[in-house]
Amino acid sequence: SQKIEQNSEALNIQEGKTATLTCNYTNYSPAYLQWYRQDPGRGPVFLLLIRENEKEKRKERLKVTFDTTLKQSLFHITASQPADSATYLCALDTGGFKTIFGAGTRLFVKA
Amino acid sequence: NAGVTQTPKFRVLKTGQSMTLLCAQDMNHEYMYWYRQDPGMGLRLIHYSVGEGTTAKGEVPDGYNVSRLKKQNFLLGLESAAPSQTSVYFCASSYRLADSETQYFGPGTRLLVL
């Protein structure tokens, strides 16, 4: 079955540093991959989408890479701020109308 | 635009009781989804709809029913609630581009089944 893994341990970093979150998947070849942000008590909010033929996508301080050979995506937040503290979810397209979501990685940015 | 709204925000049920969760979207999206989110697990798809009057099963449909009588509304029903259905329920809607889609989520409904 399809499996998507994100680091279950929280990531703690200092303000101003770059946060890097990892998403690994198996048993599938998604046409695209997405990253969402989820704050406590709220629904996920879309951040970035990267297609299988794209190696890298950027949006302001965010950068996503997609390595279909390694079956891995990396999500980077540069110059991190305390306001970036949240849980970040990776989501894979599995075809049709079904997207599978990882459990997410919680990020804490200390001032 | 309100986006995706969900009612109620929080509910406590006793085992065996029934309830309906309402999801509404004002973005004219064709596709709507119901997920549940449990600690340590990703969002799991319960049911989805690709248009008014159509519904389909997702990954964990047992114990739930849905209806999409109007394009803007997607209802999730629990006929006989069980403690295993204690969870946070999220509704989402989306439109599909030629090769991708992005989902817009509601704020969630916290359900506790005693």
Side-chain angles (χ1 to χ4, degrees):
Chain A
S1 62
Q2 297 112 8
K3 190 174 181 182
I4 179 169
E5 290 184 345
Q6 295 185 255
N7 194 339
S8 59
E9 292 184 9
L11 178 63
N12 291 280
I13 65 168
Q14 201 67 33
E15 182 177 11
K17 301 293 186 182
T18 295
T20 299
L21 286 68
T22 304
C23 174
N24 294 297
Y25 60 93
T26 58
N27 298 337
Y28 201 71
S29 298
Y32 60 89
L33 182 149
Q34 301 177 71
W35 285 88
Y36 288 76
R37 169 181 172 144
Q38 186 173 22
D39 291 289
R42 295 177 175 264
V45 175
F46 169 75
L47 294 175
L48 281 169
L49 180 151
I50 186 166
R51 293 179 171 79
E52 60 179 340
N53 61 348
E54 297 174 318
K55 295 296 184 186
E56 182 180 295
K57 182 72 75 72
R58 291 176 185 264
K59 179 183 177 182
E60 298 174 351
R61 294 184 295 110
L62 309 180
K63 185 179 83 172
V64 173
T65 63
F66 192 10
D67 189 324
T68 56
T69 300
L70 291 179
K71 293 188 181 294
Q72 180 181 81
S73 175
L74 298 179
F75 177 80
H76 306 272
I77 305 176
T78 59
S80 60
Q81 304 166 1
D84 295 326
S85 297
T87 297
Y88 292 86
L89 310 179
C90 171
L92 292 184
D93 160 60
T94 63
F97 297 93
K98 298 179 184 178
T99 298
I100 58 170
F101 288 82
T105 298
R106 183 170 288 188
L107 172 66
F108 292 101
V109 181
K110 301 176 185 177
Chain B
N1 288 348
V4 179
T5 58
Q6 293 182 233
T7 53
K9 289 184 171 55
F10 178 70
R11 184 75 182 269
V12 178
L13 288 180
K14 294 181 180 179
T15 297
Q17 287 184 319
S18 63
M19 78 164 294
T20 299
L21 283 67
L22 171 63
C23 176
Q25 54 97 1
D26 61 2
M27 296 175 284
N28 201 35
H29 287 168
E30 287 293 333
Y31 314 120
M32 297 188 74
Y33 308 82
W34 275 108
Y35 294 90
R36 60 178 290 171
Q37 187 175 43
D38 301 292
M41 303 184 74
L43 291 158
R44 291 185 292 167
L45 182 63
I46 304 171
H47 286 281
Y48 64 98
S49 169
V50 301
E52 181 179 321
T54 70
T55 62
K57 294 180 180 179
E59 179 187 358
V60 289
D62 294 342
Y64 305 95
N65 57 75
V66 288
S67 65
R68 182 105 182 263
L69 298 180
K70 293 183 178 181
K71 185 177 183 179
Q72 64 268 34
N73 296 336
F74 195 27
L75 305 179
L76 177 70
L78 286 73
E79 291 184 347
S80 180
S84 61
Q85 294 178 303
T86 292
S87 188
V88 181
Y89 292 86
F90 288 100
C91 175
S93 70
S94 74
Y95 63 91
R96 182 159 278 255
L97 299 174
D99 62 347
S100 65
E101 65 152 350
T102 296
Q103 297 188 20
Y104 296 79
F105 285 83
T109 294
R110 293 183 175 275
L111 176 64
L112 174 62
V113 182
L114 302 175

